[in-house]
Amino acid sequence: NSGNDVADICNQLRVPLERFSAVSFIPFTAVAVAIGLFLLLIGPGDYWFLRQFGRQMHWTWFTFPLIAAGFAGFAYWLYGTAKPQTRFINQLEIVDFDSVGKHVEGHTWNCFYSPKSSQVDFGLNILAQDLVTTHFQSLSWMGQPGIGLSGMQSTTPVLTIVNDYQSTIHIEPSATTNSGKSHIDLNSFPSAVASARNLQSFWFGTTELSVRSRLKVRREGDRIDGDITNPFEFPLKQPRLFFRNSVYVVERDLAPGDTMDLFTDASEQTVKRYFTRRTQGEGNTSSAVAWDPADTDLRRIAEMMMFHEMSGGSGYTGLTNAYANEIEFSNQLSSNQAILVAKVDKRFTELTAAGNSTSSEYDESMTMIRILLPVTIVD
């Protein structure tokens, strides 16, 4: 706890999600200079101009509104440049595949920029129908943790009118199973002019995907050996294999159907060293890179959310991981299974607005895949 707010890594995730390439803040300096110049022109500037040219002081009835209209047009142009009239969406999603149980689940965090005040019906569309049969999906508002300004625990009275929205549950019966499929959407979700709102979603299902891996570890050792084949039709970028206290870093991307051998393709280091970016100094000394709470690297933040406790937890980051604890896999590393983590270019989900696709509105999107792999213990 930081005193006025909950210091959770979820708050740090919001920062890069709320940044859009075409949306910018108007610097206060620019506003102050424009106001100062306006006051100078309608006051001493207008007076000097009329005294120097024509001495017709009543012409101020024409020059004053002309100056005012010019600055109003400039302000409108400046606002339009910084706040485009188009909706934009940023997204981070983490998709987990259980290669043994054939279970799949995904967690998605979205932020959308709304150019105008509106109430929109949002839903979640699963794009990976060729890989996943979904059974449940849920979309909800992502509130800001803490007691600070706009925080969910804040006791400060709300001075503006807040429009209600609805979470609607849809159940689709299945002709072949008793479970069917259900999903939760957001109806009439409000947004203000030039505002950013955060959403989060969860979904799970099953897959027929088979992952070919031959991983083994000696009963008395920790060094994992073997190989893994990319089962997807898209590359796995910057793959990392986590097992117990070690991470195996592969510097090349894994193409579809390509196989990586841990002995020849990977370098081993401890999990804590990987996350703290610890480097070896002179002699036996080493130093870690302090966690930067202002860091906006989405992959680094996502990996820290995945393995927060193994990285040192709040002792290293100074943050909790309570609001996204469901994706914390540190405890999985102590079991006899490895976790392959990689970045992919494929999006598994997208938002829908009023039932329509929003794919053209995406500004930045990143998808991380985690695959749980069995490890054989040998003597």
Side-chain angles (χ1 to χ4, degrees), residues 44-257:
D46 189 35
Y47 176 80
W48 177 86
F49 177 80
L50 295 177
R51 291 283 296 177
Q52 293 294 320
F53 301 96
R55 296 179 180 273
Q56 302 293 326
M57 305 306 293
H58 61 276
W59 284 3
T60 190
W61 292 103
F62 172 76
T63 56
F64 175 80
L66 186 65
I67 296 172
F71 269 86
F74 171 75
Y76 182 80
W77 171 85
L78 187 63
Y79 176 83
T81 302
K83 311 293 183 183
Q85 298 302 303
T86 306
R87 183 168 57 204
F88 293 103
I89 300 173
N90 286 336
Q91 175 171 296
L92 167 67
E93 60 180 346
I94 297 175
V95 183
D96 295 318
F97 285 84
D98 182 352
S99 63
V100 176
K102 304 297 184 180
H103 177 79
V104 186
E105 67 178 42
H107 297 267
T108 308
W109 296 265
N110 293 102
C111 181
F112 71 91
Y113 165 80
S114 176
K116 60 182 180 180
S117 177
S118 62
Q119 288 183 285
V120 181
D121 295 340
F122 282 109
L124 185 68
N125 184 25
I126 308 297
L127 301 176
Q129 298 293 343
D130 56 330
L131 288 172
V132 179
T133 300
T134 55
H135 302 302
F136 174 80
Q137 59 193 62
S138 172
L139 180 65
S140 61
W141 170 58
M142 177 183 171
Q144 179 171 324
I147 61 175
L149 183 64
S150 75
M152 292 185 293
Q153 285 79 38
S154 175
T155 57
T156 304
V158 178
L159 301 180
T160 58
I161 298 176
V162 179
N163 295 322
D164 294 333
Y165 65 91
Q166 295 179 334
S167 293
T168 305
I169 301 177
H170 305 272
I171 300 177
E172 303 174 12
S174 173
T176 58
T177 65
N178 294 327
S179 59
K181 177 182 177 181
S182 60
H183 58 96
I184 302 176
D185 297 333
L186 291 179
N187 291 336
S188 301
F189 190 74
S191 58
V193 175
S195 66
R197 300 297 300 270
N198 291 273
L199 305 175
Q200 60 183 357
S201 59
F202 166 73
W203 57 271
F204 69 81
T206 54
T207 182
E208 297 300 321
L209 182 72
S210 295
V211 183
R212 179 181 176 274
S213 67
R214 295 180 296 183
L215 301 176
K216 57 183 181 296
V217 63
R218 292 190 178 277
R219 189 176 303 276
E220 303 302 327
D222 287 321
R223 169 75 195 193
I224 191 173
D225 291 308
D227 55 60
I228 306 167
T229 300
N230 180 4
F232 300 103
E233 296 181 354
F234 44 83
L236 297 178
K237 297 187 172 182
Q238 300 175 337
R240 308 285 189 259
L241 185 72
F242 293 83
F243 180 69
R244 294 180 181 171
N245 292 316
S246 298
V247 56
Y248 300 83
V249 179
V250 180
E251 298 299 341
R252 67 179 179 89
D253 297 341
L254 200 60

